[in-house]
Amino acid sequence: MAAKKMEILRLYKQLLRESTKFSSYNFREYALMRVKDAFRENKNLTDPAALDKQIKEGYKNLAIIKRQVVIGHMFEPQRLVIEKQLS
Protein backbone atom coordinates (compact mmCIF):
# COMPACT_ATOMS: atom_id res chain seq x y z
CA MET A 1 0.00 0.00 0.00
CA ALA A 2 2.90 2.36 0.69
CA ALA A 3 4.14 1.92 -2.87
CA LYS A 4 0.67 2.82 -4.17
CA LYS A 5 0.64 5.99 -2.04
CA MET A 6 4.05 6.99 -3.40
CA GLU A 7 2.81 6.45 -6.96
CA ILE A 8 -0.27 8.58 -6.29
CA LEU A 9 1.84 11.35 -4.77
CA ARG A 10 4.26 11.24 -7.72
CA LEU A 11 1.32 11.43 -10.16
CA TYR A 12 -0.14 14.38 -8.24
CA LYS A 13 3.16 16.27 -8.38
CA GLN A 14 3.59 15.53 -12.09
CA LEU A 15 0.08 16.77 -12.86
CA LEU A 16 0.64 19.98 -10.89
CA ARG A 17 4.05 20.56 -12.48
CA GLU A 18 2.74 20.05 -16.01
CA SER A 19 -0.32 22.21 -15.34
CA THR A 20 1.87 25.17 -14.41
CA LYS A 21 3.47 25.02 -17.88
CA PHE A 22 0.35 26.25 -19.70
CA SER A 23 1.07 29.59 -21.34
CA SER A 24 -2.55 30.74 -21.01
CA TYR A 25 -3.48 31.98 -17.54
CA ASN A 26 -7.04 30.64 -17.79
CA PHE A 27 -5.96 27.14 -18.85
CA ARG A 28 -3.23 27.08 -16.21
CA GLU A 29 -5.52 28.05 -13.35
CA TYR A 30 -8.31 25.73 -14.51
CA ALA A 31 -5.95 22.75 -14.81
CA LEU A 32 -4.48 23.37 -11.35
CA MET A 33 -7.95 23.69 -9.85
CA ARG A 34 -9.19 20.48 -11.53
CA VAL A 35 -6.15 18.46 -10.44
CA LYS A 36 -6.49 19.58 -6.83
CA ASP A 37 -10.26 19.01 -6.80
CA ALA A 38 -10.00 15.54 -8.34
CA PHE A 39 -7.45 14.40 -5.78
CA ARG A 40 -9.47 15.94 -2.95
CA GLU A 41 -12.60 14.10 -4.13
CA ASN A 42 -10.82 10.74 -4.19
CA LYS A 43 -8.67 11.05 -1.07
CA ASN A 44 -10.78 8.55 0.89
CA LEU A 45 -10.82 5.92 -1.84
CA THR A 46 -9.75 2.52 -0.46
CA ASP A 47 -10.94 -0.03 -3.02
CA PRO A 48 -7.83 -1.30 -4.91
CA ALA A 49 -9.72 -1.67 -8.21
CA ALA A 50 -11.12 1.85 -7.97
CA LEU A 51 -7.67 3.18 -7.03
CA ASP A 52 -6.10 1.53 -10.07
CA LYS A 53 -8.84 2.95 -12.30
CA GLN A 54 -8.27 6.47 -10.95
CA ILE A 55 -4.49 6.15 -11.34
CA LYS A 56 -4.90 5.09 -14.97
CA GLU A 57 -7.23 8.02 -15.54
CA GLY A 58 -4.67 10.33 -13.94
CA TYR A 59 -1.93 9.14 -16.30
CA LYS A 60 -4.27 9.65 -19.28
CA ASN A 61 -4.94 13.19 -18.10
CA LEU A 62 -1.21 13.78 -17.63
CA ALA A 63 -0.62 12.81 -21.26
CA ILE A 64 -3.43 15.14 -22.37
CA ILE A 65 -1.99 18.03 -20.37
CA LYS A 66 1.47 17.46 -21.84
CA ARG A 67 0.07 17.54 -25.38
CA GLN A 68 -2.00 20.63 -24.72
CA VAL A 69 0.99 22.46 -23.21
CA VAL A 70 2.99 21.82 -26.39
CA ILE A 71 0.10 23.01 -28.57
CA GLY A 72 -0.40 26.04 -26.33
CA HIS A 73 3.22 27.07 -26.77
CA MET A 74 2.83 26.92 -30.56
CA PHE A 75 0.12 29.58 -30.40
CA GLU A 76 1.19 32.00 -27.67
CA PRO A 77 -1.76 34.07 -26.41
CA GLN A 78 -1.45 37.68 -25.34
CA ARG A 79 -0.79 38.14 -21.65
CA LEU A 80 -3.76 39.13 -19.53
CA VAL A 81 -3.72 42.20 -17.30
CA ILE A 82 -3.88 40.04 -14.15
CA GLU A 83 -0.73 38.14 -15.08
CA LYS A 84 2.67 39.32 -13.95
CA GLN A 85 4.40 41.42 -16.54
CA LEU A 86 7.82 40.17 -17.58
CA SER A 87 10.49 42.79 -17.00
Side-chain angles (χ1 to χ4, degrees), residues 4-37:
K4 186 74 71 178
K5 285 185 180 185
M6 291 302 293
E7 181 182 6
I8 293 169
L9 184 60
R10 185 172 36 252
L11 176 61
Y12 180 68
K13 288 180 179 181
Q14 287 175 333
L15 284 163
L16 289 177
R17 195 174 302 118
E18 284 299 317
S19 295
T20 60
K21 294 179 182 177
F22 277 111
S23 57
S24 169
Y25 173 82
N26 290 328
F27 287 127
R28 185 172 52 248
E29 292 300 313
Y30 178 76
L32 289 169
M33 180 184 62
R34 274 302 295 138
V35 167
K36 291 175 185 177
D37 287 346

Side-chain angles (χ1 to χ4, degrees), residues 59-84:
Y59 280 116
K60 285 181 187 177
N61 287 333
L62 179 60
I64 290 170
I65 290 172
K66 285 181 178 183
R67 283 194 303 270
Q68 288 304 119
V69 165
V70 170
I71 292 170
H73 285 291
M74 289 179 188
F75 307 100
E76 284 288 328
Q78 286 185 326
R79 294 249 177 237
L80 299 176
V81 175
I82 59 174
E83 293 182 86
K84 294 180 182 177

